[in-house]
Every structure is written in C-alpha cells, then in structure tokens.
Amino acid sequence: MSEIIKIFDTTLRDGEQSPGASMTPDEKIIIAKQLVKLNVDIIEAGFPIASEGDFNAVRRIAQEVKGAEIAGLARANREDIERAYEAIKYSDMPRIHTFIATSPIHIASKLKLKPEEVIERAVDSVKFAKKFTSSVEFSAEDATRSELPFLLEIFQKVIDAGATSINIPDTVGYTVPEEYAGIIKYLINNINGAEKVIFSVHCHNDLGLAVANTLSAIKAGARQIEATINGIGERAGNAALEEIVMALKTRKDFYNYDTNIITENIFPTSKLVSQITGISVQPNKAIIGKNAFLHESGIHQDGVLKAKETYEIMKPETVGITKDNIILGKHSGRHAFKDKLVQFGYDLSNEDFEKAFNAFKKIADKKKVVYDEDIDAIIAENILRIPQRYELKYINVNSGTFVKPSATIEMMMDDKSVLKAAFGDGPVDAAFKTIKEITDIDCKLITYSVKAITGGTDALGEVSVRIEYNGKQVSGQGADTDIIVASAKAFVNALNRLSYRLENWVDLK
Ligand code: KIV
Ligand code: ZN
C-alpha cells in the first residue's frame, strides 16, 4: 500500500459559495451522508458564524453524519472559533479550520492590520482552538500572493502553537504548477517540525489550473488536498475532487499515492450535488460529464470495439457510470426503484421512499418508460423540498398566434390563497409576472433553461431558473409534462429558496 493523500471535501462550504448554489440543512445532510459513502477523510460542513442556518446545518451534520472528520470554518478570532466549536462538537472527530489572509494586498486593504498583528491573531486563534479540539487546521488565505518569508514565519508560529494541518490556499487561482510546487517545497524544507504536520493545498480555478496545481503540490509534498464535487465554488470554482482522485488512481505509475475514496461512488455523488445545487455538469467535463466516455468518430469507435484501451484510459464502471439494463416502467416494483435511487446516491427514509415511489407510480402510469432524468425530477419535486412559504395551486395560461399571452394563477402564501392574472410577452413571461405580482417579490431572472428530459412528446420537462434579489442569487427547479407548469414550479421553488435564505443570509467581511 502506498502513502495516502487525505481528501478534504469543501463542497458544503466553499462549494456553496457558487452563485445560486445555496443548500438547505436537509440537503446538506443528504450530501454529507453521500460524502461518507464516497469515503472522504474530512467534510468541511460550513462556516458556523455566517448565519443561524449555517450553524444549524453544521451542527446537524456533526450530530448525524459519522465516519469522517467534520470541520467548521472560523476566521482567526475567538468568537468565530467558539461558534465553530459549538457546531462541530457533536462529531466524533471535530476539526476547527481557522484562517487569516497573509498577502500584502489583503493585509493592507481588507484587514487593515500590520503584518505582526496578523501573526498575533493567527497564533492566538490556533492556541484558542486547541483548547477545544486536537485537530486544528490553519489556512493562510491568498498564500500564493504572499511573501515567502512571511508565510514561513506565520506557518512556523502556528505550528509551534499547535496547528496540526497547515493549508496553503491559492485563493484567487493565480499560481501555476511549477511555482506552487516551489512554494510547498520551500515551506516543507524550512519549517522546523514540518514532518509533524500535514501540508494541505486548496486551489481555485480562475486560470483553469486548480487540478494541475493540486497534483503538482502533491508531488512537492502536500498530503491533504481540498476540493469540491464537480469543481463547484466561488467564481470559476475549486479543484474538482473527482479529477484529482482519478488522476492519482489512473496515473499511480507516476504519482504512487492512494486515496481512501471509493471511486465507484463518484458518479452518484456528482449527480446528487448537481441535482441539489441546480448547477449542471457540462457535457465535456472530465470524469463525470455526459460525454466523458462516449466515442463519436468512426476511427475511435472502431478502436474501442477492437480494444477499449485504445481510447479509454479509465473504465466508466470505476467511477460508477454503469450501463444499466433495467428500464423502469409501470411494471417496475419497489426493488428496482430502490436500486435506481441507490445508484443515484439517494438513501431515503422509509417515509420518503414511499412518497417517491408513489410519485414514480403516477408518472409510470402516464408514460411507458421512466428515464433516469425523470427520477431526478421525482426526487427534486417530492423529497428535496425546502420550507414551502409559497405554493402553486392552480395555473391557466392562454397563448397562441393571435392572443396576447396571459396567465391566471392561484397560490397559497403563508396559508392564504391569492388569485391574480397578468399579461406577458409569452406564456412563461406571463406566468412569471403573475407570480411576481402575487408574491410582491421584484426579482430579476438571470438564467432560464429547459431540459427536454427524455425522448418523446410525453417526456417530463425540467426547468431550471436562477433569480437575483438584492444582489443574492438562488436557483430553482421544476418538472412537469407541461413546460409552462414546470416553469412556474421552478420559479416558485426559487422564491421559496430565496425566502428561506433571506432569513439566514449574513454578509461577512
Ligand atoms: O480560498 C480560500 O482561501 C479559502 C480559505 C478559507 C481556505 O477558501
Ligand atoms: Zn477557497
């Protein structure tokens, strides 16, 4: 067995910082449980001081999700650290992850501190965190734009104060592989007691180099990598966990490291995260994109038929993409349906399973074949429900060649029924305008997309929207055999998320 590279998943914290990706505590629990099945070593569950919602989600994950270290993020101050510990203390393996910026631009413009004050805060925070738990990680935010002697000094002092992991983030995705490797080597070679701590790396993808930088850092001595499922995260995202893991596995001949990841659970985890966040995976995305294992050109098809290895460097089954021969339809029973859910990463309680199965039966009665995407829609509609402040009761839309499109909609709002009608530029516009009038929320539609989910005119259509209100973005999904109804459901879903988030949103400097 080769040395293990620890996998620190930050989908629920840094990943959630993707525009529109906010998740409810229930959704976070579902993802955290799947991350345990994937067998990540550390789950960064959130930033407890950020909001009540974040705190509760982290606390529930610490209470309910066993089998991985649970980390809570905290700025380098006592209040944040105390709050983080309050949330993670229920875990069998709690980790406090504290950070402060170390680059000249962040120190001067954002923190408005002197460099020596930054060091003081970092050391005090690590010492304080150590009172609560033995596992303390310290991150030097914007490390790759920091001065090396300063980095060395702050890391040395936090290690002396008790930090067990030190993280060297490329916060703005600025570094390149050779330079990053140089920074890691310099720190490892010059820190006294470097062998006693784990060097961690955390890369953002602004130049499309997050995975390359991470791999380069591993070669240079990093033994923990921080990443997100599907590479979601701020701006261009974080390093994609599945790409790093599969690069290490596929090129073991070159790297000679292992991870604890059960790679067959990669695809179900990716699907789950995409479904819950509403952030779809691009078709050509490495490892988990729809086209990642498809061969289009004649030459390639011919080669693959003769010997798969001609054009395939990994087997799709290794990442959990199976050619499933079971087609679900109206004759399918509980067993086949359950198998499919498990394949997709859903581990439902009996009550939720029955709800989903009843919805499946209703759809199966209407359609001959129930496709994978229909299953996604069933789960989104029936299980991943957020608190329903608004509910669509009735919708009637009029449109055609010679009529001005209009919509009449009845909604329940805080248990009160409201009926309104409005005109629009098209049927979807009319429906959205009516919903806005009913709810009195003047939000902006940022993106709208319809997935004709399966073949045939009886297919369920899935609509995804992203809306913006007061600078905050949230997404919503809805599915129905009628595209206009699906659109209205998606919009209402986004408004429910918005209303939930507005109660929980706090901006941190
Ligand atoms: O990108 C970053 O610097 C971070 C830190 C909080 C680790 O996310
Ligand atoms: Zn980050």
Side-chain angles (χ1 to χ4, degrees):
M1 183 86 171
S2 320
E3 211 181 328
I4 296 278
I5 304 295
K6 282 193 182 206
I7 307 293
F8 177 116
D9 179 278
T10 183
T11 307
L12 299 176
R13 200 277 298 169
D14 229 353
E16 205 202 16
Q17 288 172 221
S18 311
S22 63
M23 301 168 236
T24 65
D26 282 345
E27 291 171 337
K28 287 186 177 179
I29 296 272
I30 294 174
I31 293 182
K33 287 189 173 160
Q34 180 62 23
L35 291 172
V36 169
K37 282 199 199 147
L38 186 63
N39 214 20
V40 304
D41 300 282
I42 302 112
I43 296 173
E44 185 162 53
F47 195 175
I49 201 148
S51 68
E52 259 324 285
D54 250 39
F55 178 85
N56 288 332
V58 178
R59 195 193 52 197
R60 279 190 55 199
I61 290 171
Q63 283 168 332
E64 296 174 35
V65 180
K66 303 293 168 191
E69 257 189 71
I70 304 297
L73 186 68
R75 289 167 299 188
N77 67 61
R78 291 183 172 213
E79 196 191 343
D80 273 36
I81 290 168
E82 241 163 350
R83 190 78 175 141
Y85 185 68
E86 270 307 300
I88 58 166
K89 69 181 179 193
Y90 304 95
S91 167
D92 302 333
M93 296 183 269
R95 174 181 294 203
I96 293 173
H97 176 193
T98 185
F99 73 99
I100 192 161
T102 51
S103 63
I105 169 97
H106 277 234
I107 294 177
S109 313
K110 186 180 83 172
L111 299 175
K112 300 193 190 316
L113 290 175
K114 296 199 188 93
E116 53 277 22
E117 289 170 324
V118 171
I119 294 183
E120 239 168 67
R121 283 197 190 188
V123 170
D124 181 67
S125 299
V126 168
K127 279 192 185 149
F128 188 63
K130 280 297 266 197
K131 294 191 178 149
F132 300 107
T133 173
S134 58
S135 179
V136 174
E137 173 165 333
F138 171 78
S139 284
E141 190 190 9
D142 206 14
T144 52
R145 292 192 299 166
S146 306
E147 285 158 7
L148 272 183
F150 185 69
L151 264 191
L152 181 62
E153 184 182 350
I154 196 163
F155 280 136
Q156 184 68 66
K157 290 193 168 146
V158 294
I159 290 171
D160 295 343
T164 43
S165 307
I166 59 157
N167 185 30
I168 303 119
D170 184 28
T171 304
V172 290
Y174 177 74
T175 197
V176 294
E178 295 77 6
E179 180 188 58
Y180 200 38
I183 297 173
I184 309 294
K185 274 191 201 143
Y186 169 81
L187 292 171
I188 292 178
N189 291 338
N190 290 288
I191 285 175
N192 290 326
E195 67 292 345
K196 287 192 282 194
V197 294
I198 297 255
F199 284 76
S200 177
V201 288
H202 173 117
C203 297
H204 281 264
N205 207 27
D206 299 65
L207 292 173
L209 292 170
V211 171
N213 287 337
T214 303
L215 292 170
S216 176
I218 290 173
K219 266 278 179 207
R223 293 294 173 264
Q224 174 182 290
I225 65 95
E226 306 194 357
T228 60
I229 302 295
N230 300 342
I232 63 170
E234 288 267 8
R235 307 182 308 278
N238 288 56
L241 183 149
E242 62 280 1
E243 294 180 22
I244 298 162
V245 168
M246 289 313 292
L248 291 176
K249 188 175 174 87
T250 310
R251 296 306 313 276
K252 176 133 192 225
D253 59 318
F254 182 74
Y255 290 103
N256 199 23
Y257 295 116
D258 283 315
T259 68
N260 289 321
I261 295 296
I262 299 170
T263 59
E264 288 73 13
N265 286 334
I266 284 179
F267 187 63
T269 312
S270 157
K271 266 189 85 61
L272 187 69
V273 168
S274 160
Q275 179 67 25
I276 287 180
T277 58
I279 300 177
S280 39
V281 169
Q282 82 211 44
N284 60 323
K285 165 83 176 61
I287 317 295
I288 36 97
K290 203 164 106 262
N291 298 347
F293 293 95
L294 291 185
H295 305 280
E296 179 74 19
S297 89
I299 297 175
H300 288 205
Q301 287 177 351
D302 179 56
V304 169
L305 286 173
K306 287 174 178 150
K308 281 206 157 106
E309 296 72 26
T310 48
Y311 289 101
E312 271 187 18
I313 57 165
M314 299 166 270
K315 291 195 178 76
E317 305 85 88
T318 313
V319 297
I321 299 178
T322 49
K323 272 233 158 39
D324 192 349
N325 295 323
I326 297 178
I327 293 180
L328 295 181
K330 72 183 203 180
H331 300 297
S332 307
R334 287 185 158 68
H335 192 148
F337 183 63
K338 188 158 212 158
D339 274 0
K340 187 64 97 180
L341 292 183
V342 169
Q343 236 182 60
F344 283 14
Y346 294 110
D347 184 8
L348 303 186
S349 65
N350 288 345
E351 193 193 330
D352 280 348
F353 176 77
E354 286 308 318
K355 244 195 263 168
F357 186 66
N358 288 338
F360 159 72
K361 277 294 185 193
K362 271 194 204 143
I363 289 176
D365 270 347
K366 283 201 222 158
K367 304 174 57 174
K368 274 204 211 72
V369 177
V370 179
Y371 294 94
D372 288 0
E373 292 82 351
D374 296 328
I375 307 282
D376 281 339
I378 289 170
I379 296 294
E381 282 270 292
N382 296 279
I383 308 300
L384 304 175
R385 286 165 70 89
I386 44 153
Q388 302 286 293
R389 177 157 185 220
Y390 309 111
E391 206 181 327
L392 192 66
K393 289 306 264 186
Y394 165 88
I395 169 163
N396 178 28
V397 175
N398 241 323
S399 75
T401 332
F402 298 111
V403 284
K404 191 166 169 53
S406 66
T408 307
I409 291 178
E410 184 188 353
M411 282 175 68
M412 291 302 287
M413 230 173 65
D414 297 327
D415 293 333
K416 250 185 25 228
S417 161
V418 186
L419 178 79
K420 285 204 170 169
F423 290 108
D425 287 337
V428 173
D429 187 50
F432 284 10
K433 278 195 174 131
T434 314
I435 293 170
K436 275 198 209 173
E437 276 198 24
I438 292 176
T439 55
D440 201 22
I441 299 181
D442 192 17
C443 56
K444 198 162 127 205
L445 185 66
I446 303 290
T447 57
Y448 170 87
S449 68
V450 186
K451 238 199 293 170
I453 8 192
T454 46
T457 47
D458 65 346
L460 276 191
E462 190 180 62
V463 174
S464 299
V465 297
R466 192 184 302 166
I467 59 172
E468 189 177 290
Y469 180 78
N470 276 353
K472 307 289 184 203
Q473 291 192 6
V474 290
S475 59
Q477 288 88 38
D480 201 278
T481 42
D482 181 319
I483 295 296
I484 312 299
V485 177
S487 305
K489 283 183 177 175
F491 196 48
V492 172
N493 179 251
L495 292 178
N496 276 321
R497 280 178 181 276
L498 179 70
S499 149
Y500 173 81
R501 288 300 292 182
L502 284 178
E503 285 162 24
N504 288 292
W505 242 314
V506 172
D507 277 324
L508 294 168
K509 293 271 170 323

